[in-house]
Amino acid sequence: MTTINRTFSFQNELPSLPIPPLSSTKSKLLEWIEPIVSLEQFNKTSDVIERFFEIGGEAEKLQTKLQEWDQMRTGSWLAPFWEDSYLRHRDSLPYSMNFNILLKNDHYKNRYTIAEMAGRVSFLVTELYHAIIDEEVEPETVRGKPLDMSQYKNFFRSVRIPRLDRDAFHVADFDKKNNHVVILFKNNVYKVQVTNRDGVIYHSLDIAAAIEAKILAEQEEGVNVGIFTTAERNMAAEVYDMLNTSKENAEILRTIADSLVIISIDEESKDSEEALKNLMLNANNKYFDKTIEIIITKQSELGFNVEHCAVDGTSISAVISHVSKGLKEDLPQFVQTFEQPLVEKQKWELSTETLDILNQFQEDHLQQKNKYYLRSEIFTDFGADEIKNMNFSPDAFFHMALQIAQYRTYGRLKSVYEPVSVRYFYEGRTECARATSMEKRNLVEALESESESNETLYALMQKVSTAHSERIKDCQKGFGVERHMYGLKQISHLFGTELGLKELPEIFQDKGYLAMRHDFLSTSGMTYQNVKYRMFPPVVDDGHGVAYILLEDSITINISSYIENKNNANQLMEHMVNALNELRMIAKR
């Protein structure tokens, strides 16, 4: 008899996130900073690192306090710091924090009307929510090791709420009864019931019929109140509070917060490229504070805009997979109730002052969206299977090419942020593996010298792949650098005076350390088959966001930048494609 593991059955067995030894972090700091700074700066930074980590020095005092902090907590020592870093973030969410995913729709492009797709998606997210409540979702594992499943509790009926200085995150208690989704159409807000008072899910065709009759027949354009979620967070908080003074508005805000997801009907996108851009840059029919917002276009494109504070890409793939599979397979549903779902149009109560502010946000948004440049390419010459046959890690191979492309575009190597999941640990989120290394720098310099033999270049590529994979594994085990240093810095802020530290240790202001922390290329990879494109904004003004999808026979590359860096973004893409083929030629000779 097969044993079925319940969704959260391994949570109490997961180990705690370790605090790395100071000696480990010290050596890795030197190793990670060296390839991105001059020799002169590296020597200066090395002296700063030596002083910070000296016996009886600042690092030891902070480490001892961090260990005490860890002992006082039942969960991850990092979790409150990491949550704080997200919720204290003050910049506009769609332009700095949210991430976007557009699915392939080959299998269902002509199968559904918009109403049928919206009804089907509503049913599928409700079905998954019920499965999570009943713990019927198989817990995720990697090579037999269970992963933390706590983010699953944050997927649905959740929202980020703007507050002054520090936002709040709201997630409703598990409950199957009287659930709803919110549908946004022509900037109008609709509450659509998906379960009845007994917690029974309505048939997707009944939901679709209600959407067709009560929503898609709408001709009147509403006020785009959700535009306030594009604003700087303190400004968003002020408008949220203004809205909340009205009983009607407060009820709508609660309806949005407690909805399973938001479904936005995009009437503007004509193709996949437009749909991807509109996921990130078009604020019509959007509410960017919602954890999961699903966008449906007239061409049956389906995308996700995800608010990042409580979920990561590795966990949200469970929702994407369930929805994508459900649309593709379209399995028959049993009729569990003959009741019809209720649809209620929500009517905002808006003062002249509020309307003026919303109009200003709309103007600000139109100016802001024009500051970005997005480019996507699907590289089909080869993919992960062939890279593996060349005896390289696909992720390492991609990052080799990226460093070559970076060098050929900018004439030097800068810091590359690569997130690594640490869900092997309780409440684990991510670590950062800086993907710029001396091994990659050596490869780039040898390649650019045009004087090294193919055998030498191939040997350097193998060293890069091994070193890249080892760094990823170290991070997966909780022995990275950045989260540990971040924890020490937060301890300094909280307990510095108590520890006799009169000011923030100099390491955190050192030019070499800050160069490592400068996310010039902010990257994130995934291997999910049903994703067509993925995009997120650049993290720094002079840099790029690089989202990539490594599939068996293709590599999708998505680059975002500010418009003034458009030419560099195009060069980076072209150099990237050339570098992939160049590395393949070296490996195959």
Side-chain angles (χ1 to χ4, degrees):
M1 183 175 178
T2 304
T3 302
I4 299 176
N5 293 312
R6 296 172 67 81
T7 306
F8 304 108
S9 59
F10 296 120
Q11 287 299 98
N12 293 331
E13 300 174 22
L14 293 172
S16 298
L17 184 70
I19 298 174
L22 290 176
S23 57
S24 167
T25 298
K26 176 185 175 181
S27 64
K28 287 173 184 171
L29 262 181
L30 291 164
E31 179 187 330
W32 292 20
I33 291 171
E34 185 178 8
I36 58 172
V37 298
S38 67
L39 179 59
E40 180 185 6
Q41 182 59 56
F42 182 65
N43 289 334
K44 289 179 181 177
T45 298
S46 297
D47 290 340
V48 173
I49 289 173
E50 286 296 332
R51 287 193 291 274
F52 180 65
F53 285 97
E54 67 187 4
I55 296 173
E58 294 168 326
E60 282 195 3
K61 292 176 182 177
L62 295 171
Q63 178 86 338
T64 300
K65 196 67 179 177
L66 182 59
Q67 289 166 341
E68 291 176 10
W69 169 273
D70 185 29
Q71 291 299 314
M72 290 187 297
R73 290 189 48 76
T74 55
S76 164
W77 62 265
L78 179 61
F81 296 147
W82 201 236
E83 179 184 73
D84 212 46
S85 72
Y86 275 112
L87 296 178
R88 288 193 181 279
H89 183 82
R90 296 292 86 194
D91 292 341
S92 165
L93 293 185
Y95 304 127
S96 65
M97 192 67 71
N98 290 19
F99 60 92
N100 308 280
I101 292 169
L102 187 73
L103 299 187
K104 295 177 181 177
N105 67 344
D106 308 3
H107 296 283
Y108 52 82
K109 186 173 183 179
N110 300 311
R111 182 184 296 174
Y112 306 103
T113 65
I114 290 178
E116 287 169 346
M117 182 173 275
R120 185 75 181 160
V121 169
S122 298
F123 175 87
L124 290 167
V125 296
T126 310
E127 181 181 58
L128 180 58
Y129 180 59
H130 284 203
I132 293 170
I133 291 175
D134 294 335
E135 294 200 54
E136 293 175 349
V137 176
E138 186 73 14
E140 290 185 59
T141 60
V142 174
R143 290 183 288 277
K145 292 180 66 175
L147 301 182
D148 178 77
M149 299 290 285
S150 59
Q151 291 180 44
Y152 277 56
K153 297 178 180 180
N154 298 331
F155 291 162
F156 305 117
R157 302 186 72 206
S158 59
V159 73
R160 179 169 175 154
I161 299 173
R163 311 305 310 137
L164 289 176
D165 300 328
R166 186 186 190 276
D167 290 352
F169 179 73
H170 163 84
V171 57
D173 292 337
F174 279 161
D175 192 347
K176 294 182 179 181
K177 299 174 183 176
N178 295 316
N179 283 157
H180 64 275
V181 299
V182 160
I183 292 186
L184 302 181
F185 181 64
K186 294 185 183 297
N187 288 316
N188 296 300
V189 179
Y190 298 88
K191 179 181 180 181
V192 180
Q193 292 295 135
V194 290
T195 65
N196 66 11
R197 70 181 70 85
D198 299 316
V200 174
I201 307 176
Y202 294 113
H203 196 285
S204 67
L205 290 178
D206 290 334
I207 300 172
I211 291 170
E212 183 73 51
K214 301 290 180 64
I215 300 177
L216 297 186
E218 178 70 70
Q219 298 298 316
E220 183 183 352
E221 189 75 26
V223 176
N224 186 13
V225 176
I227 192 71
F228 84 89
T229 64
T230 68
E232 184 272 340
R233 298 307 291 172
N234 284 349
M235 295 172 67
E238 291 176 8
V239 173
Y240 183 92
D241 287 346
M242 288 174 66
L243 291 169
N244 217 22
T245 57
S246 154
K247 181 180 177 182
E248 289 81 1
N249 293 343
E251 185 58 39
I252 298 172
L253 291 170
R254 277 193 295 273
T255 295
I256 290 170
D258 289 341
S259 64
L260 290 170
V261 296
I262 286 177
I263 298 174
S264 167
I265 307 300
D266 169 10
E267 297 187 283
E268 301 175 48
S269 300
K270 298 179 181 64
D271 53 37
S272 298
E273 287 69 27
E274 268 195 24
L276 179 67
K277 289 176 182 176
N278 285 334
L279 280 174
M280 175 176 153
L281 299 178
N282 192 324
N284 286 333
N285 282 313
K286 299 284 177 57
Y287 195 91
F288 290 105
D289 288 8
K290 189 66 178 172
T291 303
I292 298 177
E293 186 165 32
I294 300 174
I295 293 83
I296 299 172
T297 77
K298 282 188 171 182
Q299 277 64 44
S300 300
E301 302 272 8
L302 191 139
F304 290 75
N305 184 287
V306 182
E307 199 286 307
H308 208 345
C309 77
V311 297
D312 297 316
T314 59
S315 61
I316 211 72
S317 62
V319 182
I320 296 166
S321 176
H322 188 78
V323 171
S324 181
K325 184 179 179 182
L327 288 172
K328 187 188 299 185
E329 295 181 351
D330 194 18
L331 297 175
Q333 301 164 38
F334 298 105
V335 176
Q336 295 178 293
T337 176
F338 290 100
E339 292 178 49
Q340 296 302 300
L342 183 66
V343 175
E344 297 174 284
K345 184 176 181 179
Q346 310 294 294
K347 295 184 179 180
W348 297 100
E349 189 175 74
L350 303 171
S351 67
T352 302
E353 181 186 7
T354 303
L355 284 169
D356 287 344
I357 294 172
L358 294 175
N359 286 333
Q360 184 59 56
F361 285 164
Q362 187 73 42
E363 290 179 23
D364 293 345
H365 161 70
L366 292 175
Q367 291 182 3
Q368 186 73 9
K369 69 182 288 188
N370 291 328
K371 293 180 180 179
Y372 291 90
Y373 175 70
L374 311 180
R375 181 172 171 185
S376 297
E377 297 280 345
I378 301 178
F379 176 86
T380 57
D381 289 0
F382 60 93
D385 280 356
E386 187 166 331
I387 296 171
K388 290 174 186 174
N389 289 335
M390 291 185 261
N391 295 317
F392 294 109
S393 149
D395 193 67
F397 194 93
F398 178 88
H399 276 277
M400 286 184 225
L402 183 60
Q403 294 290 11
I404 294 166
Q406 179 187 188
Y407 186 86
R408 289 174 178 170
T409 305
Y410 290 98
R412 58 168 297 191
L413 299 186
K414 296 185 181 182
S415 196
V416 177
Y417 180 99
E418 182 177 12
V420 177
S421 173
V422 289
R423 287 176 60 202
Y424 290 126
F425 303 100
Y426 182 67
E427 294 185 339
R429 296 280 306 261
T430 61
E431 176 57 271
C432 166
R434 291 290 165 180
T436 310
S437 64
M438 283 306 297
E439 289 84 4
K440 294 190 184 80
R441 179 167 150 179
N442 291 338
L443 172 64
V444 170
E445 290 174 349
L447 198 60
E448 295 305 288
S449 74
E450 298 183 354
S451 62
E452 298 293 349
S453 68
N454 194 77
E455 290 75 19
T456 298
L457 293 174
Y458 183 72
L460 288 172
M461 286 173 64
Q462 288 186 316
K463 286 182 180 179
V464 167
S465 186
T466 300
H468 183 93
S469 297
E470 286 302 317
R471 185 173 291 190
I472 297 292
K473 288 175 185 174
D474 268 359
C475 290
Q476 288 172 336
K477 293 173 184 175
F479 293 103
V481 169
E482 297 230 3
R483 304 303 185 247
H484 186 201
M485 290 297 292
Y486 181 69
L488 296 176
K489 184 179 181 181
Q490 296 313 302
I491 291 293
S492 178
H493 286 314
L494 290 172
F495 305 106
T497 303
E498 175 188 325
L499 297 172
L501 305 179
K502 295 180 181 178
E503 56 186 9
L504 187 69
E506 63 178 329
I507 180 64
F508 298 112
Q509 301 165 71
D510 173 75
K511 288 183 178 180
Y513 178 78
L514 294 177
M516 182 192 74
R517 296 270 295 123
H518 186 72
D519 301 329
F520 182 69
L521 298 181
S522 179
T523 75
S524 182
M526 67 187 311
T527 57
Y528 185 56
Q529 291 287 342
N530 289 330
V531 172
K532 186 170 188 177
Y533 294 131
R534 185 175 179 219
M535 192 67 75
F536 52 84
V539 175
V540 296
D541 290 348
D542 60 337
H544 307 278
V546 181
Y548 58 101
I549 306 166
L550 293 165
L551 300 181
E552 293 173 357
D553 55 4
S554 67
I555 303 171
T556 302
I557 310 167
N558 309 274
I559 297 177
S560 67
S561 67
Y562 286 96
I563 196 69
E564 56 265 27
N565 299 324
K566 175 181 177 179
N567 290 339
N568 287 334
N570 286 330
Q571 285 184 23
L572 187 68
M573 181 70 81
E574 288 158 18
H575 288 318
M576 184 74 200
V577 170
N578 291 337
L580 286 167
N581 282 315
E582 196 171 338
L583 290 171
R584 179 201 202 186
M585 287 178 63
I586 293 169
K588 282 187 161 290
R589 279 179 189 163

